[in-house]
């Protein structure tokens, strides 16, 4: 099977979030980038497990500049066979999806994986857009997946429960918690990653559909009001009469 | 403005998040609703009370197949010349809105938490709730996916006209083998009240006190990530940066330290109550009300007081 995994970088989850240039840019100073957790823990690892079961290749694709290479090497260290980087800043989800779809059209994959969302933009957009651009099925928020020959059985989240579905490859799937367990790359993986192929391709012209104009931080929380552990009547009174939430 | 709002009524009910999306749309322009499933005409007409002028219903599509749902929404959008298409950013919205956006070349603002500003920009959640961004859509029409619980709903009066709507849905992209409904009827992503607990509860056998408090309030239950990872609680209860992001009116956290990744998914909550034995727990910095105490003693007492309040009203 030929598997393609979309990899995005995202700021480490402990990063301090603030903005520069009149709140128009994310302040990257001191920020450590990681592989977006959903892409790494669930999408990439499940793709690697399928390859181990049935053979084939796992390719990763990233839309981004050379600064993304360390994150791509991390994905290779975890076990991907080769990587592709479309050499352009990922302007918006549509631009990103368009680049991935163009690459996929030329290279024909059985399954394209994305993570549920990135932890910086939280859009959940790229997977569905890639599927639409390729006219393929999109399975959103898969929590487990088995593949036999070209038939996949997938558990996916739905409003109010879980649905078990069956479909044929090719398709696009977004991976949520449950799909796989995080893998820590070992020394051999890290060494091997240095020499695995990382192909840089030029982007295809495409207009961005949306742009982020400005950012802001939530207002600071006012001080915490402490209530004695013996006095839950007071807490209930505060929630009912002061906060008016119950 | 001509607005189309997609709502999911497959389980025969109109969810609160669906009403939020309809009312949100009606504040932008004349609102037509498109839905699928088997829900009765009378219930659909009641969407007039939250601002819908017309409801289009398609009875052929009985699943949440993203490709078919996207075709249905696209056909409805074209039939009414919609320039704004609204989804709730729920599990169906996440699957369908990007397809519709790409198919119609209409820019997608996902995770919206407010109406578009006078300059057309839309405020959305970014960095897992640690910040907000203003999104500008550069295309002629746009798609907005609205975060559940971000805007309120107030029902007025009025009824909508209901029409059957047929469209070429194409083939379904998958076969549904089984549907497993989640237990409990309050869905976490749209719950107004949430009781959550962490590793401080020490084991799954102790969750009775969490559930009792939730029951007394009519709240949904949630948990921290390690609790879901070790299997004490189901994954769909895991909130935070790598779990569900929620913004209830009230979030009660017991035995949760308040790590930055946990806070990311819950700090949109209007009121946060923290119960922790450790007065230095970082969660107190994000709390509105704090109780330094043992969850095993505090939760049952709190539940008893809530019941007293309910008995009075
Ligand atoms: C990349 C990444 C992503 C992550 N994503 C998430 C996420 O989405 N959601 C999430 O929750 N975490 C996430 N985490 C984990 C996070 O960093 C914390 O480890 C986790 O939230 C801690 O869970 P906890 O508060 O339940 O447990 P602990 O940190 O062990 O805290 C337990 C708390 O209970 C208190 N306690 C103990 N006994 C009692 C008692 N009897 N009564 C009252 N209080 C008591 C203790 O004082 C302590 O504060 C992520 C971590 C990483 C690295």
């Amino acid at each position: 099977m030929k598997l393609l995994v979309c990899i995005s970088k995202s700021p480490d989850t402990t990063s301090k979030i603030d903005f520069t240039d009149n709140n128009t840019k994310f302040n990257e100073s001191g920020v450590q980038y990681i592989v977006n957790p959903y892409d790494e823990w669930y999408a990439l690892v499940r793709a690697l497990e399928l390859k181990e079961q049935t053979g084939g290749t796992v390719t990763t694709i990233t839309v981004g500049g050379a600064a993304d290479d360390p994150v791509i090497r991390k994905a290779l260290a975890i076990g991907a066979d080769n990587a592709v980087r479309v050499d352009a800043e990922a302007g918006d989800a549509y631009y990103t999806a368009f680049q991935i779809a163009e690459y996929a059209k030329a290279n024909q994959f059985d399954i394209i994986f994305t993570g549920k969302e990135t932890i910086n933009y939280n859009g959940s957009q790229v997977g569905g857009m890639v599927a639409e651009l390729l006219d393929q099925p999109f399975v959103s928020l898969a929590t487990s997946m088995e593949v036999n020959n070209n038939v996949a059985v997938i558990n996916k989240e739905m409003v109010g429960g879980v649905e078990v579905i069956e479909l044929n490859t090719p398709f696009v799937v977004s991976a949520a918690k449950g799909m796989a367990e995080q893998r820590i790359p070992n020394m051999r993986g890290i060494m091997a990653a240095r020499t695995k192929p990382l192909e840089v391709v030029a982007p295809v012209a495409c207009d961005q559909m949306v742009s982020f104009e400005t950012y802001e931080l939530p207002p600071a929380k006012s001080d915490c009001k402490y209530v004695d552990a013996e006095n839950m009547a007071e807490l209930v009174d505060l929630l009912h009469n002061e906060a008016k939430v119950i | 403005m001509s607005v189309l709002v997609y709502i999911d009524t497959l389980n025969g009910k109109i969810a609160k998040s669906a009403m939020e999306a309809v009312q949100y749309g009606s504040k932008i322009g004349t609102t037509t609703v498109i839905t699928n499933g088997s829900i009765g005409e009378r219930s659909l007409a009641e969407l007039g009370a939250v601002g819908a002028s017309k409801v289009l219903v398609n009875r052929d599509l009985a699943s949440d197949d993203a490709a078919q749902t996207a075709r249905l929404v696209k056909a409805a959008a074209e039939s009414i010349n919609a320039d704004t298409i609204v989804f709730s950013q729920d599990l169906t919205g996440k699957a369908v809105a990007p397809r519709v956006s790409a198919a119609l070349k209409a820019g997608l603002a996902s995770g919206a938490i407010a109406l578009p500003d006078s300059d057309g920009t839309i405020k959305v959640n970014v960095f897992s709730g640690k910040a907000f961004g203003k999104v500008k859509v550069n295309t002629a029409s746009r798609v907005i996916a609205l975060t559940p619980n971000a805007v309120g709903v107030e029902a007025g009066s009025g009824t909508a006209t209901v029409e059957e709507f047929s469209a070429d849905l194409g083939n379904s992209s998958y076969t549904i083998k089984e549907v497993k409904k989640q237990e409990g009827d309050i869905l976490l992503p749209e719950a107004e009240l949430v009781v959550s607990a962490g590793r401080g509860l020490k084991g799954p056998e102790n969750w009775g006190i969490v559930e009792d408090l939730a029951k007394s309030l009519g709240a949904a239950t949630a948990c921290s990530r390690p609790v879901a990872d070790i299997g004490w609680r189901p994954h769909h209860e895991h909130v935070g940066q790598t779990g569900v992001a929620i913004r209830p009116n009230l979030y009660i956290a017991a035995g949760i330290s308040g790590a930055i990744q946990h806070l990311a998914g819950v700090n949109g909550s209007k009121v946060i109550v923290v119960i922790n034995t450790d007065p230095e727990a970082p969660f107190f910095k994000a709390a509105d009300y704090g109780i330094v105490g043992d969850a095993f003693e505090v939760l049952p007492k709190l539940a008893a007081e809530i019941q007293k309040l309910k008995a009075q009203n």
Side-chain angles (χ1 to χ4, degrees):
Chain A
M1 267 196 303
K2 273 180 81 179
L3 307 172
L4 181 68
V5 183
C6 304
I7 297 285
S8 170
K9 69 169 185 202
S10 61
D12 177 359
T13 52
T14 56
S15 305
K16 179 168 167 16
I17 305 300
D18 71 276
F19 304 97
T20 57
D21 293 16
N22 275 329
N23 288 327
T24 56
K25 273 208 187 80
F26 175 55
N27 184 356
E28 291 190 294
S29 76
V31 168
Q32 185 80 21
Y33 279 97
I34 57 171
V35 182
N36 180 50
Y38 289 106
D39 304 349
E40 178 191 324
W41 302 346
Y42 308 130
L44 177 60
V45 176
R46 190 63 194 135
L48 293 171
E49 289 169 352
L50 289 175
K51 178 197 138 173
E52 286 155 9
Q53 276 170 24
T54 64
T57 53
V58 175
T59 302
T60 68
I61 186 164
T62 302
V63 179
D68 290 14
D69 285 352
V71 160
I72 298 173
R73 292 282 172 206
K74 167 94 188 280
L76 291 170
I78 295 170
D81 298 293
N82 62 313
V84 175
R85 177 166 62 78
V86 181
D87 192 18
E89 287 311 316
D92 70 347
Y94 182 73
Y95 182 91
T96 307
F98 191 85
Q99 305 305 329
I100 294 168
E102 287 295 310
Y103 182 81
K105 265 181 211 161
N107 292 278
Q108 300 294 324
F109 293 92
D110 296 296
I111 305 175
I112 300 176
F113 293 78
T114 71
K116 170 190 166 194
E117 63 189 37
T118 59
I119 59 169
N120 40 355
Y121 287 97
N122 310 103
S124 288
Q125 299 187 14
V126 171
M129 287 178 175
V130 170
E132 184 66 29
L133 291 168
L134 295 174
D135 196 19
Q136 285 185 9
F138 175 48
V139 182
S140 173
L141 302 179
T143 54
S144 75
M145 163 159 117
E146 295 300 332
V147 185
N148 263 311
N149 297 317
N150 68 332
V151 182
V153 176
I154 300 179
N155 278 35
K156 67 181 269 290
E157 293 179 20
M158 66 180 292
V159 175
V162 172
E163 211 168 52
V164 187
I165 62 164
E166 188 179 287
L167 80 168
N168 293 338
T169 58
F171 59 85
V172 181
V173 60
S174 80
K177 187 168 185 175
M179 274 287 257
E181 299 280 338
Q182 182 178 8
R183 278 191 188 178
I184 311 291
N186 56 25
M187 209 50 213
R188 237 180 77 216
I190 295 167
M191 297 302 285
R194 293 192 187 153
T195 52
K196 283 183 181 171
L198 194 172
E199 182 193 356
V200 179
V201 300
V204 179
C206 163
D207 285 331
Q208 217 173 294
M209 297 206 291
V210 304
S211 49
F212 278 85
E213 297 294 288
T214 57
Y215 298 92
E216 60 190 81
L217 294 171
K221 267 272 180 199
S222 52
D223 282 348
C224 175
K225 202 178 246 185
Y226 286 92
V227 178
D228 192 284
E230 295 301 320
N231 199 350
M232 285 304 101
E234 185 191 345
L235 179 66
V236 169
D237 181 60
L238 288 167
L239 293 176
H240 185 59
N241 294 313
E242 185 178 84
K244 298 194 175 23
V245 287
I246 58 172
Chain B
M1 287 268 183
S2 173
V3 180
L4 181 73
V5 181
Y6 169 78
I7 65 168
D8 178 349
T9 54
L10 285 173
N11 60 7
K13 282 186 294 198
I14 297 176
K16 188 171 132 270
S17 56
M19 292 202 273
E20 289 168 0
V22 174
Q23 192 153 61
Y24 179 92
S26 73
K27 289 181 180 167
I28 296 174
T30 308
T31 290
T32 303
V33 172
I34 175 77
T35 190
N36 49 320
S38 57
I39 189 162
E41 200 174 310
R42 187 164 336 137
S43 310
L44 291 175
E46 286 169 7
L47 285 168
V50 285
S53 307
K54 199 199 293 181
V55 178
L56 303 174
V57 54
N58 179 290
R59 309 280 184 194
D60 303 326
L61 180 53
S63 83
D64 64 349
D65 185 303
Q68 290 186 308
T69 311
R71 284 186 204 112
L72 175 64
V73 174
K74 187 172 168 240
E78 281 164 354
S79 87
I80 65 155
N81 260 320
D83 38 43
T84 301
I85 302 166
V86 180
F87 288 87
S88 173
Q89 175 85 327
D90 60 10
L91 296 169
T92 311
K94 283 180 183 168
V96 182
R99 284 205 89 117
V100 170
S101 165
L104 292 174
K105 301 275 176 295
L108 169 56
S110 57
I113 54 168
L115 282 164
D117 269 351
S118 50
D119 66 359
T121 58
I122 300 160
K123 191 170 178 176
V124 305
N125 272 319
V126 288
F127 294 98
S128 306
K130 290 179 202 167
F132 309 117
K134 286 271 183 81
V135 173
K136 183 165 158 248
V137 178
N138 305 313
T139 48
S141 53
R142 61 185 174 183
V143 181
I144 303 175
L146 177 67
T147 302
N149 263 334
V151 296
V153 229
E154 268 172 51
S157 56
T159 48
T161 54
V162 180
E163 284 173 20
E164 302 289 324
F165 183 81
S166 61
D168 179 7
L169 302 172
N171 292 327
S172 66
S173 43
Y174 47 74
T175 0
I176 298 172
K177 312 284 275 184
E178 193 187 343
V179 172
K180 302 176 199 162
K181 288 273 172 209
Q182 175 187 317
E183 280 171 46
D185 44 16
I186 305 162
L187 300 180
L188 180 59
E190 58 178 54
E192 290 187 358
L193 308 173
V194 175
V195 180
S196 186
R199 219 151 37 179
L201 268 278
K202 309 218 164 38
E205 66 281 5
N206 298 326
W207 245 261
I209 52 174
V210 179
E211 281 165 353
D212 286 347
L213 176 59
K215 212 169 287 163
S216 71
L217 280 164
T221 47
C223 67
S224 67
R225 177 174 157 219
V227 162
D229 280 357
I230 22 183
W232 292 0
R233 299 297 292 175
H235 284 316
H236 63 76
E237 285 197 1
H238 157 196
V239 292
Q241 189 155 11
T242 52
V244 189
I246 53 170
R247 30 188 313 126
N249 291 340
L250 174 63
Y251 183 72
I252 300 180
I256 301 178
S257 56
I260 187 165
Q261 298 94 350
H262 184 84
L263 295 180
V266 304
N267 60 8
S269 309
K270 287 185 193 80
V271 172
I272 294 178
V273 174
V274 169
I275 302 162
N276 200 305
T277 40
D278 175 8
E280 301 297 324
F283 218 151
F284 285 117
K285 291 204 183 71
D288 297 280
Y289 301 104
I291 294 108
V292 178
D294 185 341
F296 291 91
E297 287 162 24
V298 172
L299 291 179
K301 281 185 191 148
L302 180 54
E305 290 298 333
I306 302 274
Q307 264 152 11
K308 270 193 222 161
L309 175 78
K310 299 266 150 146
Q312 283 162 21
N313 296 334

